[in-house]
Amino acid sequence: MLRYCAFIAALILASFTAFQACADRRVALVIGNSEYREIPALKNPDKDAADVANTFRLAGFDVFVAKDLTKIEFEKQFRNYLAAADGADLAIVYYSGHGFQIGGENFLIPVDASLKNAADIEVQAVKLDDVLQQLRAKSKIQVIILDACRNNPFPRKDYWLRDQLITAGDTGLAQVKSSLNTLIAFATEPGAVAYDGSGDLSPFSSAFSRRALAPNQEIRSVMAAVRRDVVEATKGAQVPWENSSLIDEVVLMRRANRPALPPLLEKTVPSGVGPVALDLPVPVDVDGGAVTISIERPPALGRLILDGKPVATGEPIEGKDLPRLAMDVPKGADAEDQVDMLAYATHDAWGSGSQGILVFRVKNGEGAEGKQLVASLESEQKQEVLERGIHIAGAAEAIENRDVNIPVGVGPVPLRLDFPTKDPGVSLKLASYPATGTLSLPNRTLSPQSSLMADEVDQLRYEPQIGAVKPLIVGFEIRADNDTSPKAATMKLSPSVEPCDREAGEPLDLQGVVPGLLPNEISSNAVDVCRAAVKAYPDVARFRYELGRALLAAGKIDEAKKAIQEAADRGHVRAVFELGYIASSGIGTAVDPSKANSFYAKASDKGDPYGMTAWGRALFNGLGVQRETGKGLDLLLKAAAMGHTYAMNDLAAIFTEGRNGVPADPSRAVAFLKAGVERQDMYSMNILGRSYLSGRGVDKNTKQAQALFQKAMDLGQPYAPGSLGRMYRDGVGVTKNLDEAQRLFELASARGDYSGAYDRAALETQKGDKSDQAVAVRYLAFAAGLDLRNELPSARTTLAQFGSKSKTAALKQLRSELKSKIPAGGSVDDQLIRTARAVWEQANPRRDLF
């Protein structure tokens, strides 16, 4: 009979409306720029950022918070954020600081911006449209919130935008057209000025933090409330504004989770012995709020009693008092057992609730059997109390001093705490939330105020924040029913980078988790650790791509192409670019520019800076595709804005010479080269050094040129030794030293610099009677063999002028350096060139340099 009644109770519960929560991915980047170096500081953005970041954290977001960012720091923070936002349901950027418009384009201003020259805006500021486009490529819904509508504080007013000089707007930000499922909110209307405020927070940030925590409010309702608050606070001087194309609802503070309690309990209650405690567990609001109880269906066989007073149907009871709820069943006339039911409902402060049912058997509590029953129940109760204490102690022991290693960038990782109890009366409250990253259950993301039921603990997961690897502390309070002295326990979470990422991660990979390595820096151990990573995390496409990189570095071309293709098929964008690079360079296949461009275009559309650079270069120059100068230039500028120095160097070349209708502007070229040098790019160093030698776009400075050449050479740049060698050869800025010039030209040749090889040959011929003609032939062969684009045709014509004796000697020497033979057909000159090329390739040169 009891089981039948329990079945009926379960049917009753099933009739209640159920809410199925899901732990979707929501990430927020919060930036506060206050301490500007070249312009007046702002009082509140740092505080605004801290307050808003806390708001998003309370709402269950993975929050990236950054203050006083330079341009380079912004690039790094934004890349980490984009990696976390990859595939996110909702991505938010909140910016407080200086910002202004130029020609309808909005720019956010890093703290190190000076904007003294017309080209500075492109390398020192952050274009809002670039931020938005990157978010669109990564997430389902995008929200950008800007408390940045201030006056242009810089004295200069005209700046380069693409191929035009544009005058900056005097006030505020420009209206932005949002794409589908995007909301862009401004602290004030377009063209108007927002205020820093007289308090600790700006009027806008203060209102947002307060209103965003309203539970279950759609963001457009939140922003309407923010607008009312700001208008009132500023007496109408500032009117927040937003542009929305949302088709999905966005709720920041979701309170859809119901208070947690066991839905169905069973119990035996004696009759005729007075009120008997039902020992119902305390309902826990998993979102951290207070809970009340109401009786929906009272028992038919007795009365409910709380602290000696009867409880009426619908009467509210505080959740913490539920364990003291008792039932008084009078002496029954029937000798047989009877079954009864109690239905009750929980309610939280936000209108959510859940239902519980107690099915109980009433037994006669009088006589010898009744006394034995009562004694047995009292014993059971004492045993439950004892066991619950043991459970709590064991639970604390299971958590206390644990140090869990969590790999970064593989999704939520189960903590596997082996919690010793599933007692419905035991719950855990988060006493300290990790400073970065996200705690979650399969059905919901936890916030700093969350609680968990005992049976949920074994499902607890943690996802570290990308870019954050410091150990973190998580604290819990373990409670039992209405116990007023919870037991505390703490554990440590230690985020770590997978060996595959350390050994084969790539720079500027927007789905990567490390700064990355160039191909020549990949170790021989990378293949093994990446194979292990692919096996451990078969669904993480990044590891398949990094395995492909490692295999390429090891010379296993076919295996590499297979791994890279698998990564691309699984959605890794840089792998798509790499397929294009393989097609364009002919690694293990025929060169196919058209195929390469199709891959470059796909990677570019997904926001990959390497893809944007390659596709932009092809479009700008008409390489294997119809020329589109404007689109190509725009893509190169976007890639440069992401910190890609290859794009910066391409732009420097365009602006130095003036190409395809884009006017020459050497000072603009220098701005990009200096930006590349700031990012430690060895190519930028070499090219800027040449600018200092020639005085194009910058005042001549041989000492600066020498320092840049030396630093680039120390980093392995192939052309810097030749650049420095020419200074010593000609005595420009240094004492003339032909021996040092010769050493540097030979180093340049070994690194693949055909110009350096040609200069070494010329230096040999200038020795007159002391010259070694075979040495001159050797380096001319290197110059021709390394000049794949035929940019130095004089190398072949000069080689043809040497006699057969010197050529034969040089060819013999080159062949002796080869570990394997190559075909000997063709003219002696052709054999020399092929052999020199083979000798260079045998030396395992740095492929990433070309």
Side-chain angles (χ1 to χ4, degrees):
M1 179 67 181
L2 185 62
R3 289 184 178 177
Y4 174 75
C5 197
F7 174 72
I8 297 299
L11 289 179
I12 294 173
L13 275 177
S15 69
F16 290 119
T17 301
F19 175 82
Q20 296 296 325
C22 62
D24 56 8
R25 297 187 57 231
R26 308 196 303 168
V27 293
L29 172 62
V30 180
I31 300 171
N33 280 352
S34 289
E35 297 299 324
Y36 285 89
R37 302 172 187 176
E38 302 287 337
I39 54 177
L42 296 171
K43 183 180 66 172
N44 285 331
D46 280 2
K47 300 170 187 175
D48 292 341
D51 193 58
V52 171
N54 184 59
T55 297
F56 284 127
R57 175 69 73 178
L58 289 172
F61 281 75
D62 182 11
V63 183
F64 290 70
V65 59
K67 299 180 181 180
D68 298 326
L69 291 180
T70 64
K71 178 60 163 61
I72 292 177
E73 289 169 345
F74 175 86
E75 291 167 7
K76 179 180 177 181
Q77 287 279 357
F78 191 51
R79 285 195 297 268
N80 287 338
Y81 168 69
L82 287 175
D86 189 39
D89 296 274
L90 173 61
I92 293 181
V93 172
Y94 192 108
Y95 175 83
S96 181
H98 274 301
F100 61 88
Q101 62 167 298
I102 304 173
E105 295 272 13
N106 294 316
F107 290 87
L108 313 180
I109 310 302
V111 296
D112 61 337
S114 62
L115 304 187
K116 295 176 181 176
N117 300 309
D120 286 345
I121 195 73
E122 296 172 316
V123 295
Q124 295 183 16
V126 177
K127 188 186 295 185
L128 178 62
D129 189 58
D130 289 346
V131 172
L132 182 56
Q133 285 193 26
Q134 286 288 345
L135 291 186
R136 288 169 182 160
K138 291 286 186 180
S139 57
K140 178 182 177 184
I141 303 171
Q142 306 83 44
V143 173
I144 295 181
I145 304 173
L146 301 170
D147 192 2
C149 311
R150 296 179 169 92
N151 282 319
N152 177 5
F154 296 97
R156 187 178 186 94
K157 297 300 179 184
D158 60 329
Y159 298 98
W160 279 109
L161 284 187
R162 298 180 184 89
D163 57 351
Q164 297 182 52
L165 273 173
I166 305 293
T167 300
D170 291 330
T171 58
L173 297 177
Q175 183 172 346
V176 179
K177 293 182 179 179
S178 60
S179 62
L180 194 63
N181 241 5
T182 298
L183 182 142
I184 304 170
F186 295 86
T188 192
E189 58 194 322
V193 177
Y195 299 97
D196 217 12
S198 58
D200 288 338
L201 302 173
S202 74
F204 180 77
S205 291
S206 175
F208 178 81
S209 292
R210 182 171 61 255
R211 294 295 186 176
L213 292 178
N216 300 327
Q217 292 293 304
E218 211 277 333
I219 193 169
R220 283 162 286 197
S221 297
V222 169
M223 298 312 300
V226 169
R227 184 159 40 248
R228 288 192 295 270
D229 289 353
V230 173
V231 169
E232 181 179 351
T234 62
K235 295 181 172 53
Q238 181 175 331
V239 182
W241 173 89
E242 66 268 357
N243 183 24
S244 171
S245 61
L246 293 176
I247 59 173
D248 293 316
E249 283 199 343
V250 174
V251 176
L252 299 178
M253 177 58 83
R254 293 179 297 191
R255 292 293 187 183
N257 289 307
R258 295 171 173 186
L261 76 170
L264 186 62
L265 294 172
E266 299 178 7
K267 189 175 180 62
T268 299
V269 178
S271 63
V273 298
V276 176
L278 297 178
D279 296 321
L280 292 172
V282 173
V284 175
D285 182 356
V286 296
D287 288 325
V291 178
T292 59
I293 305 295
S294 64
I295 304 303
E296 302 294 306
R297 181 188 185 281
L301 299 177
R303 297 184 307 155
L304 294 176
I305 304 293
L306 180 62
D307 297 336
K309 298 179 181 180
V311 178
T313 302
E315 180 181 346
I317 303 171
E318 290 191 33
K320 64 182 180 62
D321 295 332
L322 189 60
R324 301 202 311 276
L325 187 66
M327 182 172 171
D328 182 14
V329 181
K331 177 181 177 181
D334 298 331
E336 295 185 3
D337 298 343
Q338 299 181 70
V339 176
D340 204 350
M341 183 189 305
L342 161 67
Y344 57 101
T346 63
H347 312 276
D348 65 16
W350 301 282
S352 295
S354 57
Q355 290 75 35
I357 287 181
L358 173 65
V359 176
F360 51 89
R361 183 194 302 271
V362 176
K363 287 192 174 185
N364 189 349
E366 294 185 320
E369 290 185 4
K371 290 180 180 180
Q372 186 177 358
L373 171 64
V374 171
S376 175
L377 292 174
E378 288 176 349
S379 177
E380 287 179 12
Q381 198 171 45
K382 290 178 181 178
Q383 182 64 25
E384 285 179 0
V385 171
L386 177 63
E387 289 180 355
R388 190 159 285 167
I390 294 172
H391 289 165
I392 292 176
E397 185 177 340
I399 293 173
E400 186 67 28
N401 298 323
R402 288 282 299 273
D403 187 351
V404 184
N405 184 276
I406 310 288
V408 176
V410 300
V413 177
L415 298 185
R416 306 188 190 285
L417 296 179
D418 297 324
F419 206 62
T421 180
K422 298 188 184 305
D423 187 333
V426 175
S427 64
L428 289 80
K429 182 177 178 62
L430 282 168
S432 61
Y433 198 88
T436 59
T438 307
L439 285 169
S440 67
L441 297 170
N443 68 335
R444 72 179 189 273
T445 299
L446 304 182
S447 74
Q449 297 177 338
S450 294
S451 295
L452 301 87
M453 302 304 293
D455 63 354
E456 294 180 308
V457 177
D458 285 342
Q459 302 177 63
L460 190 60
R461 313 176 303 178
Y462 175 70
E463 184 169 5
Q465 189 171 99
I466 292 173
V469 293
K470 293 181 180 179
L472 304 153
I473 299 299
V474 184
F476 297 94
E477 291 180 354
I478 307 171
R479 303 172 180 269
D481 286 345
N482 61 342
D483 186 359
T484 56
S485 55
K487 194 168 185 64
T490 60
M491 64 181 295
K492 184 163 70 173
L493 303 176
S494 296
S496 63
V497 175
E498 262 285 317
C500 180
D501 287 318
R502 287 200 307 268
E503 300 285 348
E506 187 167 25
L508 274 66
D509 184 351
L510 301 188
Q511 293 164 297
V513 299
V514 292
L517 301 172
L518 296 173
N520 69 291
E521 297 170 322
I522 296 175
S523 73
S524 58
N525 186 49
V527 171
D528 290 337
V529 296
C530 286
R531 286 195 197 280
V534 169
K535 183 177 180 180
Y537 306 102
D539 295 329
V540 180
R542 180 179 76 253
F543 292 135
R544 293 180 187 270
Y545 172 60
E546 290 170 353
L547 173 60
R549 294 192 79 218
L551 289 165
L552 271 182
K556 300 179 179 180
I557 305 301
D558 291 338
E559 288 184 76
K561 289 166 63 178
K562 180 181 177 183
I564 293 168
Q565 183 66 63
E566 289 176 349
D569 292 342
R570 285 167 168 79
H572 196 75
V573 178
R574 182 58 59 78
V576 176
F577 162 82
E578 192 72 19
L579 292 173
Y581 177 73
I582 289 172
S584 69
S585 57
I587 300 175
T589 185
V591 174
D592 190 338
S594 177
K595 184 177 181 181
N597 282 338
S598 69
F599 285 122
Y600 291 156
K602 290 177 183 177
S604 177
D605 289 344
K606 291 293 185 180
D608 179 61
Y610 276 54
M612 287 192 289
T613 299
W615 183 226
R617 184 187 299 129
L619 288 170
F620 185 85
N621 296 299
L623 302 174
V625 66
Q626 185 174 351
R627 180 181 294 167
E628 292 185 58
T629 302
K631 184 177 180 180
L633 181 64
D634 192 53
L635 286 172
L636 289 170
L637 289 167
K638 289 180 184 299
M642 291 294 296
H644 194 19
T645 55
Y646 291 11
M648 294 176 187
N649 295 332
D650 276 338
L651 290 165
I654 291 170
F655 299 135
T656 296
E657 304 166 6
R659 294 180 182 174
N660 301 340
V662 176
D665 188 336
S667 62
R668 193 179 184 189
V670 165
F672 280 102
L673 292 174
K674 287 182 175 179
V677 170
E678 285 182 317
R679 290 155 183 80
Q680 301 303 303
D681 181 79
M682 53 191 171
Y683 283 99
S684 300
M685 294 172 190
N686 185 58
I687 302 170
L688 183 58
R690 292 177 181 176
S691 296
Y692 277 113
L693 279 183
S694 66
R696 295 194 70 178
V698 68
D699 292 337
K700 281 189 177 183
N701 189 327
T702 55
K703 293 297 182 186
Q704 188 75 344
Q706 182 185 8
L708 286 166
F709 292 149
Q710 184 66 53
K711 187 171 183 180
M713 185 174 74
D714 293 344
L715 290 171
Q717 209 272 350
Y719 307 118
S723 297
L724 192 56
R726 293 177 194 99
M727 291 184 72
Y728 281 102
R729 181 194 65 190
D730 302 332
V732 176
V734 295
T735 302
K736 188 172 183 177
N737 186 334
L738 295 181
D739 289 339
E740 180 64 4
Q742 177 175 308
R743 182 187 74 83
L744 291 168
F745 288 146
E746 289 176 0
L747 176 59
S749 177
R751 290 183 177 180
D753 177 10
Y754 56 86
S755 294
Y758 186 82
D759 286 341
R760 173 63 184 91
L763 199 63
E764 188 65 32
T765 60
Q766 291 167 11
K767 294 179 181 179
D769 295 340
K770 296 181 179 181
S771 67
D772 186 330
Q773 297 294 293
V775 169
V777 167
R778 172 189 179 88
Y779 283 101
L780 285 169
F782 272 116
L786 296 172
D787 182 19
L788 298 181
R789 298 191 182 104
N790 197 29
E791 295 178 349
L792 193 64
S794 57
R796 281 181 176 269
T797 57
T798 305
L799 176 62
Q801 296 171 10
F802 281 78
S804 60
K805 183 178 180 180
S806 57
K807 291 180 181 179
T808 301
L811 182 58
K812 182 178 179 181
Q813 178 60 38
L814 286 167
R815 283 176 173 167
S816 71
E817 297 172 25
L818 281 177
K819 296 178 181 178
S820 58
K821 293 183 179 181
I822 62 172
S827 68
V828 175
D829 286 8
D830 288 340
Q831 292 181 54
L832 276 166
I833 293 169
R834 285 201 309 273
T835 307
R837 174 78 187 182
V839 167
W840 180 74
E841 289 181 342
Q842 177 182 271
N844 192 26
R846 288 183 58 168
R847 302 281 181 174
D848 57 297
L849 301 181
F850 299 93

